[in-house]
Amino acid sequence: MTVHDRSAFVIGGTGQIGRATAARLAAAGYAVTLGQRRLRPDAAAPPGARSVQIDRADTEALLAALDGHDLVVDTVAFTPYHGTQLARLAGRVGSLVVISSGAVYQAPGLPVPIPETWPTVEREAHDYPAGKAALERLLLATPGLPASVLRTGVLHGPHGTSLDHWWFIKRALDKRPHVVIAQDGRSRFPTTAVANVAELIHLCALRPAARVLNIADDPLTVAEIAARTFAVMGHEAEIVTFPGPSRPDGLGFHPWNVQEPIVFDTRRAAAELGYSPAVSYDEALRQDVEWAVPAVRAAEAAGGGWQDVFPDLVRRHGPDVWFPYAAEDAYLSGA
């Protein structure tokens, strides 16, 4: 069988991982089907793929749609219930790739970097990390199921509802001469470009197995992310830092704010599958900018703003801390 004879089904095909994966697999010759809860004109399948409507809650219909595919990619599995659905694919599909998260790692006291063997959370709480961790354990314990579990950092790329890099992108668009960052600008929290997730999914499909792999960008500090984003956008700004946490007026806030450095060990993907990034960090930033800026401008033309394009940023941190320009100016003027 050649790769041109292969078929793939992506559950959650309208999201940023789903779209990037569809494009990568279609380019590799797969016949790609995107499963969507609701077929939407604004979420059309990319060239080389088709969309179908599927109700994730209808297990029998879901399994019937997935049966016989060479590859199934699940971008929206969050709970053990989803794991029990996917476990029934043992012997019925060639390969399964499930998107998880580094949020499953047991903290505090994380090593730097964090290997895939580090313990994951085990608790009864029905929160995101516990749900993902329980999902992983169920899949990896299922005999005959070639499930690759990919633990990502904070995703970035086109078509997302959250883009932490917007914190710097908007400053460049606004021609801000400086940015003020708390914690000395040294915070490190993993980001992951969706184009590279798609690349690793393709490699997992070529060598099916039960495995766990971290995937993340270069482990940059928040100050380094600022410098790289500004450089990609051709913007010059002074990066000012101060020790300690951000202030009540938002001064120093940034979305990479963590109490301890979080860095993924990504060597296993390279060693086992020969993975290397499909796009560099700077190229991924360019893709972020090229999609986000027109999307926000379109929202503004319709009477909205960036909050409408990135509602998850508002949900996570609130609307008021993102761009405290007055507080920054006062701090730097000594007022």
Side-chain angles (χ1 to χ4, degrees):
M1 177 180 288
T2 67
V3 71
H4 299 285
D5 300 319
R6 294 182 178 178
S7 63
F9 193 108
V10 182
I11 306 170
T14 62
Q16 60 184 160
I17 293 180
R19 294 191 190 201
T21 299
R24 177 66 183 93
L25 294 176
Y30 282 75
V32 182
T33 301
L34 303 182
Q36 304 177 18
R37 185 172 54 182
R38 293 183 303 273
L39 294 178
R40 306 195 325 257
D42 63 330
R50 69 184 185 99
S51 295
V52 299
Q53 189 169 6
I54 190 73
D55 183 359
R56 180 63 186 266
D58 187 341
T59 298
E60 297 308 320
L62 176 68
L63 295 177
L66 302 180
D67 242 343
H69 282 85
D70 298 286
L71 169 64
V72 170
V73 180
D74 196 340
T75 70
V76 289
F78 299 106
T79 68
Y81 170 74
H82 296 148
T84 62
Q85 291 178 314
L86 297 173
R88 292 177 59 185
L89 293 175
R92 298 166 67 171
V93 300
S95 180
L96 172 66
V97 180
V98 177
I99 303 302
S100 187
S101 165
V104 301
Y105 287 119
Q106 183 70 58
L110 293 167
V112 179
I114 309 167
E116 290 89 346
T117 53
W118 187 256
T120 58
V121 297
E122 294 190 52
R123 55 175 178 262
E124 294 300 322
H126 298 292
D127 58 15
Y128 177 82
K132 280 284 195 183
L135 163 72
E136 287 187 10
R137 286 191 288 271
L138 193 155
L139 293 175
L140 296 170
T142 300
L145 185 65
S148 295
V149 173
L150 306 188
R151 293 176 181 158
T152 73
V154 175
L155 297 167
H156 64 108
H159 307 293
T161 57
S162 178
L163 179 60
D164 286 356
H165 295 82
W166 181 247
W167 194 67
F168 296 122
I169 293 170
K170 187 176 188 303
R171 281 173 161 77
L173 295 175
D174 293 340
K175 302 186 185 305
R176 292 289 295 171
H178 43 246
V179 60
V180 181
I181 306 175
Q183 296 175 321
D184 292 320
R186 295 178 181 173
S187 297
R188 288 196 291 175
F189 192 86
T191 62
T192 304
V194 293
N196 291 332
V197 177
E199 176 66 18
L200 185 53
I201 288 171
H202 178 232
L203 294 175
C204 288
L206 296 178
R207 295 178 60 183
R211 58 167 74 91
V212 178
L213 298 172
N214 289 332
I215 176 163
D217 301 329
D218 298 337
L220 304 178
T221 67
V222 64
E224 290 169 335
I225 292 174
R228 297 281 281 274
T229 306
F230 292 152
V232 162
M233 297 185 69
H235 176 65
E236 293 185 5
E238 181 184 11
I239 299 171
V240 180
T241 67
F242 65 84
S246 60
R247 302 187 181 180
D249 60 1
L251 182 72
F253 165 84
H254 59 81
W256 292 269
N257 183 13
V258 289
Q259 296 303 310
E260 58 180 327
I262 300 178
V263 177
F264 290 173
D265 187 338
T266 59
R267 292 174 293 181
R268 177 178 284 185
E272 294 188 6
L273 297 176
Y275 166 79
S276 62
V279 296
S280 68
Y281 187 75
D282 288 353
E283 178 57 32
L285 286 177
R286 290 188 185 94
Q287 293 179 7
D288 293 340
V289 172
E290 289 171 0
W291 177 80
V293 173
V296 171
R297 286 175 176 163
E300 291 171 343
W306 66 266
Q307 299 90 336
D308 301 292
V309 179
F310 304 120
D312 285 352
L313 295 184
V314 178
R315 177 184 58 81
R316 282 164 47 204
H317 301 291
D320 302 325
V321 297
W322 284 88
F323 304 105
Y325 292 165
E328 292 179 354
D329 294 341
Y331 175 77
L332 292 171
S333 68

